Amino acid sequence: MQPVEHLHLKHVLQTVCVLEAVVLRSFGPEGGQVLFTRDTGQAMLSRSGTRILTALRLEHPLARMVVECVRKHSTVTGDGSKTFILLLASLLRMIHTMACKEPNVYHTYNSRAAAEAATARRLADELLAFALEELDDLIAVRVVPYGLCVSWKDITAKSQSPAYTNCHYAQKLLASFFHTRLGHTHCDFISNLTCELLRHWKFKNDLPSSTLQFVNDNFPALHTPVLGFPISCSRLIEGQVIHRDFATPCPQTDCQPVKAVVFTGYLQQKLLSAGNVLKVGRGGQEMEANSKKEKSIVEFSAWSERSLECVIANLQRLGVSVLLSAVKQTAAVLSLAAQAEMCVVECISKDELSLFAHLSGTTPVSDCWMIEPVNVATLTFCRPILLGVHRYVHVAFHDLEERVKPCSLVICGPGEGQTDQHACAFQDAIRMLLTTCRPMVHQPSSRVRWSQAVLYLLVGHLSFS
Amino acid sequence: MALNGDDEDFAWEPPTEAEMKVIQARRERQDKISKLMGDYLLKGYKMLGECCDVCGTILLQDRQQKNYCVSCQELDSDIDKDNPALNAQAALSQVRERQLAAQSPAPSQAPELSGGPSSSSQASVSVPRPEHCEGAAAGGRAPPLPPPVPSPSPPASTTTLAPTRPPVCPQSTALQPVLQEAEDAVLTKLRWATTQLQSSASLEASIQLCSLIASCANSLRSLKELSQ
């Protein structure tokens, strides 16, 4: 066995053709699903080209590079990874055929392989130049007149409204996308759900792409996967779902509004943290004349508890009843909070806390000695919610200025693999809409980016040989 | 896109029909290889960064760390059928070609082909056409040789065959070494197929190995009939 030192054109072609054979059977609305299983019994079901390709075990450097290109492409566009591979394979085949048919200039090159490689490189360069200079105009003149323009209003308009007659085109766009991802049974339902989600999150006086960008960036915090239910049980819930449970019993209070504070650090000073040195003395009554008064560990923990009591008293004065923490608080904090009838939620992820801070218009507390009113969020309610087998925290925001109706998406599926597939399909649909609605003036269009990616790959690798 | 550069100063002929067939066959074979490799990748095989020494196809590795070349081990080779050392029909085609080439320039040289002490009546023995090698009746045969012993004792069969080859074989000297080579090659392949069959765990591979053994036995039988 010899390692692939010189990458010949036929190796490039063979690698991409193998990847094409892998995704070909899942392509299109009638395409099949691929079921991946691990030794642990975990199963993943997918029709998405990116998921299938990234799940393969590939050590071949060119194959890994192609899969990385596909992944990056899919991160931006949300769709089209199988198409990418099919078009790449087709281009390479054509270049290979043309390079082999071209007369071999024996007197210039050492071997037939070198001659073929040079021809192929020249063809790839010409293709790249065509894509950069002429493809845009060609599409604008020959393709766009046969297409449809889908605007933001179409996506977010209610379907009953007679004014927007184009809205069913937008529904069709989403429905066909979900058809290729999830099958034909539920594609309409899911596309309606997506439009409803976007309608709720429409920021006033903002560009549509910023709404889509916001939903795309915060999607992990905006959706909750729930296992064990059919997909038709997916729905929207108002407010935000924080994917943690209460650490202290939640008091059943009906008083509104509920005040909450977000902490990013520890309320109680840690006794010993990494890198610090705590000098502890013997303490006690007897002291020498010139020595400093040394404190013992007992006195130190008594002091830290007193300071904690001050913090809790401060919070009580501000009327706070919910503490949201990014880290795990100590047992003393939990017991004091429970005594003061405050509920604590710990170990919340950074994304969810930043979303919470954004929606409530507050800033998290970094120093627990300085708790200002600007750190206090006002909520309509904060109560537990049971979704599937998990109990989460459900909050609703009070009096938002931008008239946004925040809502969270509950995505159901019979098993873990399918629920994961549904959630990925949702996120890819948002990305696909984002690419579609993005203004084309200032940024290079996605099709040029695609063709650039393809041809950099080709030119880069044909220069190996 | 301009396909022809400016610096080409010779004529290019389009590929002939034979070349087209070869190109088409090669492309189909490559497609088959790609499809098989894709199936194996989906079954959990790993694609390595190495190529097979023999055919240049990318190697796969299964869960037991065993390397696997799809084209060598699963598809029939597309050049083996033309190799006279491995295929009886190709060997006979080559012999026939040589015979024709030797006979066509000077028919007076025909008696010199026989060589050896044998009578010249056998000088123009007709080599049976490859399609008819299986039951060809060439006149004036020596008494039939004992039938070739098939595996599992191929070494024994080579030793039994060698001494029983009659030295008074009325063949042309050009034919004899070719047949001998062909027989040795077939026996080697038979031996190899047997060992592969013993260690094979796949149903498809076993079926193909059995058919290989059967065709090796047939080839040996026809070579025996030829050398008589």
Side-chain angles (χ1 to χ4, degrees), chain A residues 55-70:
Chain A
L56 294 177
R57 300 168 70 205
L58 298 169
E59 259 184 26
H60 195 278
L62 181 61
R64 288 168 76 96
M65 238 222 66
V66 172
V67 171
E68 185 60 25
C69 283
V70 169

Side-chain angles (χ1 to χ4, degrees), chain A residues 242-302:
Chain A
I242 296 178
H243 299 103
R244 303 290 305 175
D245 195 6
F246 287 102
T248 56
C250 177
Q252 298 291 328
T253 48
D254 290 328
C255 66
Q256 285 189 10
V258 172
K259 290 203 184 339
V261 176
V262 175
F263 287 95
T264 53
Y266 294 94
L267 266 81
Q268 186 181 24
Q269 297 301 318
K270 280 192 88 170
L271 199 59
L272 200 63
S273 48
N276 291 353
V277 174
L278 181 68
K279 274 176 100 171
V280 174
R282 287 169 315 202
Q285 309 292 330
E286 295 172 21
M287 280 171 292
E288 294 184 4
N290 291 332
S291 69
K292 288 190 291 199
K293 191 167 174 208
E294 291 178 347
K295 302 280 190 184
S296 74
I297 194 84
V298 174
E299 282 150 338
F300 179 78
S301 26

Side-chain angles (χ1 to χ4, degrees), chain B residues 16-187:
Chain B
T16 62
E17 204 181 298
E19 285 172 10
M20 284 300 292
K21 278 196 187 152
V22 169
I23 290 173
Q24 184 68 21
R26 210 167 282 161
R27 196 178 303 156
E28 278 172 13
R29 189 186 152 78
Q30 288 301 321
D31 286 343
K32 230 186 282 182
I33 290 176
S34 301
K35 186 170 178 313
L36 280 171
M37 280 181 72
D39 288 343
Y40 277 112
L41 281 181
L42 284 172
K43 277 190 211 159
Y45 279 53
K46 195 197 290 192
M47 183 197 261
L48 298 177
E50 293 153 355
C51 295
C52 177
D53 293 334
V54 173
C55 59
T57 317
I58 298 174
L59 285 171
L60 298 171
Q61 192 184 68
D62 62 4
R63 302 288 179 125
Q64 283 80 35
Q65 314 291 326
K66 204 166 95 147
N67 289 358
Y68 185 75
C69 173
V70 171
S71 71
C72 290
Q73 289 169 262
E74 215 167 295
L75 294 181
D76 297 324
S77 167
D78 62 348
I79 51 166
D80 277 356
K81 66 181 189 317
D82 298 325
N83 189 351
L86 294 174
N87 190 330
Q89 292 211 349
L92 290 166
S93 301
Q94 195 182 53
V95 163
R96 194 174 168 71
E97 279 167 25
R98 283 197 194 160
Q99 192 99 34
L100 286 171
Q103 282 175 356
S104 54
S108 58
Q109 291 175 9
E112 294 171 17
L113 284 173
S114 57
S118 55
S119 62
S120 59
S121 61
Q122 305 294 332
S124 54
V125 62
S126 60
V127 179
R129 293 176 63 83
E131 307 85 78
H132 302 140
C133 65
E134 291 279 313
R141 282 213 187 147
L145 296 165
V149 180
S151 58
S153 58
S157 64
T158 36
T159 51
T160 49
L161 279 173
T164 55
R165 183 175 298 282
V168 291
C169 180
Q171 295 278 46
S172 60
T173 46
L175 189 55
Q176 189 58 29
V178 173
L179 287 181
Q180 183 63 44
E181 270 176 38
E183 241 182 88
D184 290 339
V186 171
L187 284 167

Side-chain angles (χ1 to χ4, degrees), chain A residues 1 4 25 57 59 101 122, chain B residues 3 12 39 44 47 67:
Chain A
M1 280 170 295
V4 184
R25 280 185 290 190
R57 300 168 70 205
E59 259 184 26
K101 276 205 292 204
R122 199 191 73 225
Chain B
L3 294 177
W12 172 71
D39 288 343
M47 183 197 261
N67 289 358

Side-chain angles (χ1 to χ4, degrees), chain A residues 224-445:
Chain A
T224 310
V226 174
L227 303 183
F229 292 92
I231 188 172
S232 45
C233 293
S234 307
R235 60 193 185 278
L236 292 177
I237 299 183
E238 70 157 316
Q240 184 186 357
V241 174
I242 296 178
H243 299 103
R244 303 290 305 175
D245 195 6
F246 287 102
T248 56
C250 177
Q252 298 291 328
T253 48
D254 290 328
C255 66
Q256 285 189 10
V258 172
K259 290 203 184 339
V261 176
V262 175
F263 287 95
T264 53
Y266 294 94
L267 266 81
Q268 186 181 24
Q269 297 301 318
K270 280 192 88 170
L271 199 59
L272 200 63
S273 48
N276 291 353
V277 174
L278 181 68
K279 274 176 100 171
V280 174
R282 287 169 315 202
Q285 309 292 330
E286 295 172 21
M287 280 171 292
E288 294 184 4
N290 291 332
S291 69
K292 288 190 291 199
K293 191 167 174 208
E294 291 178 347
K295 302 280 190 184
S296 74
I297 194 84
V298 174
E299 282 150 338
F300 179 78
S301 26
W303 167 82
S304 92
E305 277 214 23
R306 276 199 302 276
S307 63
L308 181 60
E309 280 164 15
C310 288
V311 171
I312 300 284
N314 195 10
L315 287 170
Q316 262 181 324
R317 204 172 37 245
L318 287 167
V320 171
S321 54
V322 175
L323 304 180
L324 302 172
S325 164
V327 295
K328 184 155 177 57
Q329 303 290 346
T330 58
V333 170
L334 294 179
S335 63
L336 279 174
Q339 274 177 15
E341 292 191 356
M342 292 184 201
C343 38
V344 182
V345 187
E346 299 174 310
C347 305
I348 304 178
S349 73
K350 247 188 344 189
D351 305 328
E352 290 176 9
L353 283 180
S354 66
L355 179 65
F356 182 90
H358 177 94
L359 292 175
S360 59
T362 61
T363 50
V365 172
S366 45
D367 181 7
C368 49
W369 293 108
M370 313 268 296
I371 303 177
E372 313 275 313
V374 74
N375 302 119
V376 178
T378 315
L379 307 170
T380 316
F381 59 78
C382 173
R383 55 184 182 228
I385 183 171
L386 189 66
L387 292 173
V389 296
H390 295 287
R391 210 174 72 145
Y392 296 124
V393 172
H394 185 198
V395 299
F397 299 95
H398 190 75
D399 195 23
L400 283 172
E401 304 147 357
E402 296 120 339
R403 304 282 187 89
V404 171
K405 296 178 295 240
C407 60
S408 183
L409 182 60
V410 173
I411 302 176
C412 298
E416 193 185 341
Q418 285 115 318
T419 315
D420 200 34
Q421 191 188 21
H422 300 155
C424 290
F426 261 106
Q427 176 141 36
D428 286 340
I430 304 286
R431 276 199 204 121
M432 189 260 299
L433 285 176
L434 184 60
T435 316
T436 315
C437 293
R438 189 179 281 151
M440 308 254 277
V441 178
H442 307 292
Q443 299 164 31
S445 63

